[in-house]
Amino acid sequence: MKWQTTQQLKQLLGKLVKYPSISGSKAEVLLAQYVAAQLSELDYFRENNELVQLHSTGDGRYFVTALVKRNEYIRDTIILVSHFDVVDVQDYGAWKDVAFSPEELTKLFYKHQERLPSEVQADLQEGEWIFGRGVMDMKSGLALHMSLIEQACAGKFSGNLLLLTVPDEEVNSMGMRAAVPALLEMAEKYGLAYKLVLNSEPMFTRYPGDQTNYIYTGSIGKVLPGFYCYGKETHVGEPLAGLNANFMASQITNEFELNTDFCEVFGEEISPPPTNLLQMDLKEDYSVQIPHRAVTLFNLFLQQKSMDEMTGALVELAKRTARRIEERYHHQATRFAQLEKSTSRALSVNVLTFAELRHRAVEMVGLEAVEQLEQTILTNKKKKDERERTIQFVDRLAILCKDLAPMIVLFYAPPYYPAVNSSDDPLVKHVVERLQQHASKKHGVKIVQQHYFGGISDLSYVGLQQPFSSLQALTANMPMWKRGYDLPLEALKKLNVPVLNVGPVGRDAHQWTERLNVPLAFETMKELLEYTIQEVFSK
């Protein structure tokens, strides 16, 4: 047994972290191959080598599956899901060259404690934390799953375990989206009945200084609404003869940023408010013409609200903002006219969805011309990012329909994460209750249930809790839908497995102070995961 003791798991974690598997990098591919090779060395897989597989995601990357089948008659199966990609390390500054060397980085942090935030210094005094990119999010979870697979190979569990570890979770979840059909195929081929998808994303604090230990019976949803602003071009010497799109976008950001009207409340849990991820004008070169095309893009979390409801609320926000832009313009134009002793001007800002804009473009130039324009954008190698392509889609159609300007166009960019919640599932309720009792009795640890994991996870893609019809507002207004981005909706509906997240204690995901509590991860959490699996199979 090579992945069972704390020291063994710490060594495995170090080897996993040493691969700088930033999303989209070559190391992301190499790490998938390394994990598959390591699992293949276990005796069980030496005898059943076809049960460890590298699966192509279709874009040069791979996800890994490793199935331990108890015997040919047992169908009950738990899927252990994790991701092995990480975000980049530019935030480490002078320490970025050792960000993927946990032991070395941890020693440096001990040596230079005075340069660390006070709360990090406090953790250092405990002597139980290890630092590095990916130690928390989420290569420690993958290490724990490999440990569980090794135990399953030795016959510890009464059911089947299927390890699934994927790339690209931090960007577009290409790995998990590609894995869904493969999971259905494996169920058919090997006679599997999936009882639970068990993730081990780390616990996320809900507020600064939060020391609570959480498990999660769901995962929060996410959508990226964008607002494209088309004003009116003019020379900077005549600003009131036009409308600056940067001004329009800034007014939307002012209205939408941290707007708690868009927070959802579920029990005692409140989703974070929306926040801006991108804002820019679309001028390619400097000139004294005002920017008359701009865009702003937001992160918006979802729990229970349907996309119909959310789209309606976003359109209303855009309409309110349009009226404020008109009022502000009219107020300043009137004041300037008084100074200049001239006649003031007025304007009207239209609000459309992307679906309405595209319909108008088809009316103007025909469906064939619109589809040809879209195909040109898709094949433009300079626009690799799906957000960039989405914005270009909207921009090119808006230019065709410039007679509608000034206008604000609501659209959605990839990725989309459906909210998932298994809190009312009988099996999940039973396991949570037993796990809380066990953790308190055996480890003296109080575990609090959260209905939604707030860090966004691939658990969003193991089922579909909304009817297809409710997604029409999303798909119709997402320019990239079925043009380079989509979800396997039919497969998601068919898969539909309850979810649970039981993961280690960490701090500061996606920050240069990312760290993992080693004893809690590789002793306490390891035992709790083993107990969780046994409880699932006992039902």
Side-chain angles (χ1 to χ4, degrees):
M1 304 290 277
K2 58 180 182 177
W3 301 322
Q4 299 307 314
T5 69
T6 298
Q7 187 59 31
Q8 287 174 332
L9 283 166
K10 190 175 178 182
Q11 289 173 352
L12 173 60
L13 176 61
K15 292 175 182 177
L16 296 173
V17 172
K18 193 168 286 291
Y19 284 83
S21 54
I22 296 168
S23 307
S25 68
K26 183 178 180 180
E28 193 181 20
V29 176
L30 295 176
L31 182 52
Q33 294 169 338
Y34 173 78
V35 170
Q38 288 296 303
L39 291 166
S40 295
E41 291 180 2
L42 298 176
D43 288 344
Y44 176 86
F45 293 120
R46 287 181 187 273
E47 299 173 5
N48 303 275
N49 59 6
E50 76 283 359
L51 297 182
V52 175
Q53 297 181 64
L54 279 169
H55 306 255
S56 173
T57 60
D59 63 354
R61 290 180 285 186
Y62 301 93
F63 62 92
V64 181
T65 60
L67 172 63
V68 182
K69 191 90 161 65
R70 178 71 178 184
N71 64 50
E72 61 180 307
Y73 304 108
I74 291 180
R75 293 174 53 82
D76 287 351
T77 305
I78 295 173
I79 302 171
L80 305 175
V81 67
S82 64
H83 69 88
F84 52 80
D85 64 314
V86 297
V87 296
D88 68 33
V89 294
Q90 296 305 313
D91 52 333
Y92 281 83
W95 287 315
K96 70 178 182 179
D97 290 339
V98 292
F100 294 108
S101 301
E103 288 197 13
E104 186 177 352
L105 181 65
T106 302
K107 288 177 182 177
L108 282 171
F109 280 1
Y110 271 103
K111 186 177 180 179
H112 300 285
Q113 292 188 44
E114 73 284 353
R115 296 169 62 179
L116 304 175
S118 58
E119 63 273 16
V120 180
Q121 293 184 40
D123 283 345
L124 280 171
Q125 298 309 310
E126 296 179 12
E128 298 181 335
W129 296 79
I130 191 168
F131 294 77
R133 176 61 80 232
V135 295
M136 171 195 181
D137 186 14
M138 69 161 291
K139 291 178 179 177
S140 54
L142 172 56
L144 285 165
H145 288 184
M146 291 172 72
S147 172
L148 293 168
I149 286 293
E150 184 181 38
Q151 291 185 47
C153 289
K156 177 165 183 173
F157 305 113
S158 59
N160 311 316
L161 287 192
L162 172 57
L163 179 143
L164 168 65
T165 190
V166 300
D168 196 46
E169 191 267 357
E170 301 290 3
V171 182
N172 289 317
S173 283
M174 173 66 80
M176 191 65 196
R177 290 187 287 129
V180 172
L183 291 174
L184 292 174
E185 291 171 9
M186 292 183 72
E188 181 72 22
K189 181 176 180 179
Y190 297 109
L192 309 178
Y194 299 132
K195 296 195 70 174
L196 182 73
V197 177
L198 180 59
N199 200 353
S200 292
E201 289 273 12
M203 302 177 195
F204 272 55
T205 57
R206 295 181 62 187
Y207 49 84
D210 185 9
Q211 299 292 317
T212 309
N213 297 306
Y214 297 107
I215 57 174
Y216 306 89
T217 50
S219 193
I220 202 165
K222 165 182 169 168
V223 69
L224 291 178
F227 297 89
Y228 172 89
C229 301
Y230 197 122
K232 187 177 186 302
E233 66 273 19
T234 187
H235 191 282
V236 293
E238 298 180 296
L240 288 167
L243 181 62
N244 196 310
N246 282 345
F247 165 65
M248 298 170 69
S250 69
Q251 294 302 301
I252 292 171
T253 299
N254 187 60
E255 178 72 16
F256 197 26
E257 177 72 16
L258 302 180
N259 188 330
T260 54
D261 289 344
F262 287 85
C263 295
E264 292 190 61
V265 180
F266 187 87
E268 297 182 356
E269 297 173 34
I270 303 172
S271 63
T275 190
N276 186 266
L277 291 177
L278 178 149
Q279 184 166 317
M280 64 181 184
D281 67 67
L282 301 178
K283 277 181 67 175
E284 295 184 2
D285 301 297
Y286 171 81
S287 73
V288 290
Q289 181 189 63
I290 66 167
H292 64 282
R293 292 154 34 241
V295 68
T296 184
L297 189 65
F298 293 84
N299 187 90
L300 178 60
F301 286 118
L302 306 169
Q303 289 183 350
Q304 300 289 308
K305 285 186 179 178
S306 70
M307 286 307 304
D308 286 332
E309 293 176 277
M310 198 59 75
T311 300
L314 291 169
V315 168
E316 286 304 310
L317 180 139
K319 288 180 177 178
R320 290 197 306 271
T321 306
R323 303 294 82 79
R324 290 180 182 178
I325 291 169
E326 294 166 357
E327 291 167 5
R328 170 79 173 171
Y329 178 91
H330 178 69
H331 174 71
Q332 297 298 344
T334 300
R335 292 188 63 188
F336 187 78
Q338 291 171 350
L339 293 172
E340 198 180 44
K341 297 181 175 56
S342 61
T343 303
S344 66
R345 305 178 182 184
L347 55 76
S348 177
V349 178
N350 292 311
V351 173
L352 303 90
T353 63
F354 173 77
E356 293 168 336
L357 176 69
R358 189 176 188 275
H359 179 74
R360 180 61 178 267
V362 169
E363 286 183 336
M364 291 182 63
V365 301
L367 179 60
E368 184 178 349
V370 169
E371 289 179 341
Q372 185 175 359
L373 182 150
E374 292 170 344
Q375 187 60 34
T376 300
I377 295 170
L378 282 175
T379 56
N380 182 359
K381 301 302 182 182
K382 293 181 180 179
K383 298 288 185 181
K384 294 183 178 180
D385 184 88
E386 290 177 337
R387 271 63 52 187
E388 291 179 310
R389 292 191 183 193
T390 295
I391 292 167
Q392 191 179 22
F393 259 102
V394 183
D395 188 39
R396 294 292 294 274
L397 291 185
I399 290 172
L400 285 179
C401 303
K402 61 189 299 181
D403 59 305
L404 296 174
M407 61 178 154
I408 298 171
V409 181
L410 169 68
F411 65 91
Y412 293 111
Y416 167 60
Y417 287 81
V420 59
N421 189 336
S422 299
S423 300
D424 293 330
D425 182 86
L427 173 63
V428 172
K429 290 174 72 172
H430 166 80
V431 171
V432 167
E433 182 180 346
R434 294 298 300 272
L435 185 58
Q436 288 174 321
Q437 294 171 355
H438 176 76
S440 177
K441 184 177 179 179
K442 184 174 180 65
H443 300 285
V445 172
K446 180 181 179 182
I447 291 179
V448 175
Q449 177 190 357
Q450 284 279 103
H451 298 289
Y452 291 98
F453 174 71
I456 311 169
S457 80
D458 281 334
L459 289 179
S460 286
Y461 302 117
V462 298
L464 193 64
Q465 298 186 348
Q466 295 186 24
F468 294 158
S469 59
S470 70
L471 296 178
Q472 178 65 24
L474 170 78
T475 59
N477 293 301
M478 182 179 279
M480 289 294 293
W481 186 257
K482 298 295 185 183
R483 302 182 185 93
Y485 179 87
D486 61 12
L487 301 181
L489 296 178
E490 291 288 349
L492 287 174
K493 197 70 176 178
K494 187 175 180 181
L495 186 61
N496 199 31
V497 186
V499 304
L500 181 64
N501 193 105
V502 180
V505 174
R507 298 278 185 268
D508 297 350
H510 295 196
Q511 300 180 45
W512 63 274
T513 49
E514 178 180 354
R515 57 200 183 277
L516 175 77
N517 186 303
V518 173
L520 283 176
F522 296 150
E523 295 173 19
T524 305
M525 193 52 58
K526 177 176 178 292
E527 196 279 333
L528 292 179
L529 282 167
E530 294 165 6
Y531 181 85
T532 299
I533 291 170
Q534 290 165 340
E535 278 299 311
V536 172
F537 288 142
S538 72
K539 289 294 288 182

